[in-house]
Structure formats: C-alpha cells, structure tokens
Amino acid sequence: MKKTSCITLALLFTLALSACGKTDSPVPAVSGNAPSDTPAVSVPAPDEQPGQSPSSCTFDPALFGGKLQSCAYAGNGTLLVLADKLYLYDTGTSSVLATAEAPLRDFEAQAIDGGYVLSGMGDSGMMAYIYDSSLSLNKEIAVEELLQGDFVVSETGGVAASTDGKKLAFAAMGGLYLYDLESGNLTTLLDMAQNAGTASISVSMLNGAAFAQDNSQIVFFGSGNSIPVVDGEEGFSLHGSISVEGSGLKLTKLSDYEMEEMQSSVSRLFFPQAFTQANGTLLWIDRATGSANTLSFSASGEGKDGVYGSEQGNYVATAVLDGSLTVRVYDVASGELLATEVMEDSDSTYFNRIPRIYLLDEAKTAVVVLGGSISEVDTLVSTFEFGA
C-alpha cells in the first residue's frame, strides 16, 4: 500500500488540526486556512482517560508557542513537546496536561513511575532532571560533578533511568556507573582503567545504557577489541549486559554491524547502524529476556536517513530522503511492511536533514516533524495512520 501526502509551506501555527482515528486513509498536513474534510478533533471513547494508551490520536500544533523543535515519548500516548517551553501533551484528548520551563535545547526523555527523567547536554556538560507527573522539578543532577573527573559524551543513552525511578546508570568515558537516587550511592560497574571486559573481549568505549529485565540488568553498547589482539583487526561494535550488582558480565562482538545509537522503548531496545554502514537491517534486544534479534527492511541501504522505534516498541519507521521524504513503518515481531507514506514540499530545505518521527502504538499513528532543528524554516507537522 502506498499513499502520498503533500506538505505545503505554511506557518506551523496556522496548520489546521491533524486528526487521526480508525479511518481508512492517513491524514496529511493541511495548509493555512484551506478547508479540510477531516474532523477537527478526535473524540475519545466515554471510558477513555488521558494518558491511558488512547486508540485515537490528535496532534494540534496551535497549543504550543514558539517554534516546535522536537517531541519525546512520555508514556501511554502522551508526548513531551519542546517549543517555547516544555509541554506534556495527551494525543488522545488533544490537551496540554502540564507545562514547565525547558531545561535544555535538546534532550532524551524516559518515563518512570510517577514522572519523567530528562537528560542532555547543558552548558556544564551532561545534566539529568527528574520531574513528577505534573512536570514539577524534583531533582537536578550535574552528572560530571557526580562522577568527579569522568564524563558522559553520548546524548542518546548516556543516562539511563530504571522504570521505578530509583536508579540511574551512566555510560561514561571511563566506565559504567550505577547511581542510587534514594541513598546517593555511586557504584562503578565497569572500570575502563581496570581493563573492563571478559577473557576474549575488552571494552574500549561505552556509548549508551538502559535498564532491562525488570531493572535487574543494565544493557549497554559501545566498542571493543579482541583478546588476544588479532593482527589487522580494528575495533568493533559490541553490546553487553551486567547485573546491577556488578556480576554476570556478558559481551557480544558484532563484526559486520556498526551501531550508531540506542533507542529505548517500553519492550525493546533498538540499535540503528551508522549511516555510512546501513545495510537494511536493524538489531534489537528484548528488554524482558535480553535476547537479540534482527529486523530486515525493504531495501538494502534503508536506515541511513533515520530509524525510529515506537513508544511501546511494537513498530519501527524508517526515513528515506531523496528530494522528498518516504516513511516506511514495519511491524517488529513479524517484519511486515505496514505502510509507506511519501511527503513532498516545494522547499527542499525540509529534506536536507533527517526528520523526527514518533509512532504511537495503540493509535497506530505516526507524527512526522519536519524542520524542527532548522532555524530558517517553519516547522511542519504531518500525521498518518499505519496498520489495520
């Protein structure tokens, strides 16, 4: 199935509502004051409550001030929207649940019990902010001060939060650390200065981490070298796991797969390849069991222009940029291609940088943000449905 929508140049805040529910076709972005045959608002079912995985989705840009830059999953169909400030937005009811001053220009967000953890680079290095469910700031952590000499360089996965909100993990240059938020204790799980690794693999760099298996394990990725050294072999990508007690270290060498980042969803961890090495496959790990699997895309080079996991981890989208934007959505469990959406605009600037794509599992809806990181153009937002 292939459908096409055209994105017209228009100010974000003159866009009509992009509404989506259980309809037969996706809803394209709508320009200015042009009439639309789509309903203005998706009305939730009578027993549907905000933040409870709604089966319908509405994205209303008019509710946000300033330039919309990006979003992040906030759990159960809600999004954290970064614009002139930080908004907690419910896509099922099309309402803003809370607002706060934006602590960072760009951030990674993780939903925890009773709130959220936001992390990203501030003026003094990596920062972590812990909010409650109403976006009231509970704790601010300057990670480099906490690590006393070590520092986190990865903005994606450099700071990981346990789902119960009691612990943080830091993947830093010098090692992997576990921080107990209740006691304030900092534990070193892997020490690079002490030749961290196993009998056959040494870890040379850590790029990201995430909690798994009911917060008992930490999964991480980075690079390493063989022990003993193999003639002519360069460093390779690896992923591994270790218990929060520091035992049971496991490492897996990836000879022909170079990981660029780690994306966390509720059920899965996704590891997109470096764009120069993308070969049309995606490595992912089951957070409940720790098992590793591979998803194959439709084309051999697909994935180099962006890979995007869904909120729950059931779906993955890819972006293909070639004078326009083609978005393909896949079912992770079956590998089935569910939808293909082509987006075009007369201003090619929108396709010079990878988009932001957010997939809402229950509503089976993709929210595509174009130009959010490009200061000279207005942000454009489009939504479309995928799956049955």
Side-chain angles (χ1 to χ4, degrees):
M1 177 178 63
K2 184 169 183 177
K3 304 172 183 175
T4 303
S5 62
C6 293
I7 302 176
T8 60
L9 266 178
L11 287 174
L12 172 64
F13 302 109
T14 61
L15 287 174
L17 297 184
S18 293
C20 45
K22 299 284 185 184
T23 58
D24 294 329
S25 60
V27 180
V30 182
S31 64
N33 298 315
S36 173
D37 294 330
T38 60
V41 178
S42 289
V43 180
D47 59 347
E48 186 176 287
Q49 299 296 321
Q52 293 187 349
S53 297
S55 58
S56 62
C57 162
T58 299
F59 195 92
D60 182 2
L63 296 176
F64 316 118
K67 180 178 173 65
L68 193 155
Q69 300 174 55
S70 64
C71 304
Y73 298 124
N76 298 322
T78 60
L79 294 172
L80 288 167
V81 180
L82 179 62
D84 62 324
K85 53 187 173 182
L86 186 64
Y87 297 81
L88 178 60
Y89 177 69
D90 191 305
T91 64
T93 60
S94 186
S95 59
V96 173
L97 305 179
T99 62
E101 292 301 315
L104 299 164
R105 293 181 295 274
D106 196 12
F107 60 83
E108 182 180 24
Q110 300 168 77
I112 59 175
D113 291 347
Y116 313 95
V117 175
L118 272 63
S119 58
M121 289 296 178
D123 294 336
S124 57
M126 179 60 70
M127 301 292 298
Y129 300 87
I130 301 174
Y131 292 86
D132 66 15
S133 58
S134 62
L135 291 188
S136 294
L137 183 62
N138 288 338
K139 191 176 183 66
E140 177 181 330
I141 301 171
V143 177
E144 290 184 16
E145 292 182 11
L146 182 65
L147 298 184
Q148 296 183 353
D150 203 354
F151 53 95
V152 174
V153 297
S154 175
E155 294 191 68
T156 305
V159 176
S162 61
T163 56
D164 58 13
K166 294 181 179 180
K167 294 179 174 63
L168 297 178
F170 306 119
M173 291 292 292
L176 179 65
Y177 304 89
L178 182 69
Y179 179 57
D180 189 299
L181 287 163
E182 295 178 330
S183 67
N185 291 334
L186 181 70
T187 304
T188 302
L189 299 179
L190 291 176
D191 188 346
M192 311 298 278
Q194 299 298 318
N195 298 317
T198 62
S200 60
I201 299 174
S202 66
V203 182
S204 58
M205 179 174 291
L206 295 172
N207 296 117
F211 285 84
Q213 300 187 50
D214 198 25
N215 299 317
S216 67
Q217 298 281 318
I218 296 175
V219 174
F220 56 87
F221 84 102
S223 56
N225 300 96
S226 295
I227 300 175
V229 175
V230 176
D231 290 342
E233 181 184 67
E234 298 181 355
F236 47 79
S237 284
L238 61 79
H239 64 82
S241 64
I242 191 170
S243 76
V244 293
E245 286 80 24
S247 60
L249 174 64
K250 298 179 181 179
L251 298 175
T252 299
K253 172 184 176 180
L254 301 174
S255 300
D256 55 356
Y257 193 99
E258 184 178 344
M259 294 179 287
E260 184 171 58
E261 62 173 328
M262 177 174 64
Q263 298 178 12
S264 297
S265 70
V266 172
S267 62
R268 294 177 170 97
L269 301 171
F270 300 105
F271 299 86
Q273 294 190 71
F275 75 96
T276 56
Q277 303 294 322
N279 64 357
T281 62
L282 174 67
L283 173 70
W284 61 270
I285 291 177
D286 188 305
R287 293 184 80 155
T289 65
S291 62
N293 304 268
T294 300
L295 173 67
S296 296
F297 300 135
S298 299
S300 60
E302 193 172 341
K304 68 181 181 64
D305 295 329
V307 175
Y308 311 86
S310 69
E311 177 187 37
Q312 298 294 320
N314 298 314
Y315 308 102
V316 162
T318 63
V320 179
L321 295 169
D322 186 16
S324 62
L325 168 63
T326 299
V327 179
R328 296 191 181 103
V329 181
Y330 297 85
D331 181 282
V332 176
S334 68
E336 179 186 358
L337 175 62
L338 300 178
T340 299
E341 187 80 6
V342 180
M343 300 179 181
E344 299 174 332
D345 193 90
S346 58
D347 188 346
S348 62
T349 304
Y350 287 103
F351 311 112
N352 293 336
R353 200 169 299 175
I354 64 172
R356 309 263 189 160
I357 302 174
Y358 311 93
L359 304 177
L360 302 174
D361 297 68
E362 295 299 323
K364 292 183 174 60
T365 300
V367 178
V368 182
V369 178
L370 285 166
S373 61
I374 307 175
S375 59
E376 55 270 26
V377 298
D378 301 308
T379 304
L380 298 179
V381 178
S382 182
T383 64
F384 68 89
E385 293 180 341
F386 57 85

